Amino acid sequence: VQLQASGGGLVQPGGSLKLSCKASGIILSVFSSNDKYWYRQAPGKERELVATFTGAGSTNYADSVKGRFTISRDNSRRTWYLQMNMLKPEDTAVYYCKTFRGYGTGDVWGQGTQVTVSS
């Protein structure tokens, strides 16, 4: 199983970006049943959980991004997304996607995509 994250870039404060994470080498039933995550890691800080899309279809967000970020998925494309609006300089980080290669077991991470929010 491999994850390919994309969509990062440089954006001004208040702007938007949409990240994508595409999974390959995973059967649809495993992909659709597993939780999917977006994490981020800023320089000098620990990696933090930003958003979760559960296998049951619910979503959870870190307090710092609630109301600004939206996680979604497209099972048919084996892809999930992070729509980021009203971006702030403190959102600057490398963003990583994560899911599982089996049913709830075997973490697999994407390679990370850099998001920089700066004027």
Side-chain angles (χ1 to χ4, degrees):
V1 177
Q2 291 186 321
L3 302 182
Q4 180 68 45
S6 62
L10 173 64
V11 63
Q12 292 187 342
S16 299
L17 283 174
K18 186 174 185 177
L19 308 182
S20 299
C21 185
K22 183 172 178 59
S24 59
I26 188 169
I27 62 174
L28 183 57
S29 60
V30 174
F31 178 84
S32 61
S33 67
N34 278 331
D35 294 353
K36 299 157 188 63
Y37 308 92
W38 284 101
Y39 286 77
R40 67 186 180 187
Q41 187 165 21
K45 295 188 176 181
E46 294 187 354
R47 192 171 296 189
E48 64 170 342
L49 179 61
V50 175
T52 303
F53 198 111
T54 72
S58 62
T59 58
N60 295 288
Y61 300 93
D63 287 344
S64 59
V65 307
K66 279 181 182 176
R68 300 188 298 122
F69 289 12
T70 303
I71 188 171
S72 61
R73 69 175 179 187
D74 184 339
N75 285 337
S76 66
R77 297 180 184 271
R78 292 172 175 73
T79 302
W80 66 104
Y81 307 94
L82 186 67
Q83 176 67 47
M84 305 185 294
N85 298 327
M86 296 181 288
L87 283 160
K88 304 175 181 180
E90 51 264 44
D91 295 318
T92 295
V94 178
Y95 284 70
Y96 299 89
C97 53
K98 189 189 90 168
T99 189
F100 303 100
R101 62 183 74 249
Y103 287 105
T105 63
D107 290 10
V108 58
W109 292 84
Q111 83 285 7
T113 184
Q114 176 71 48
V115 171
T116 302
V117 185
S118 175
S119 55

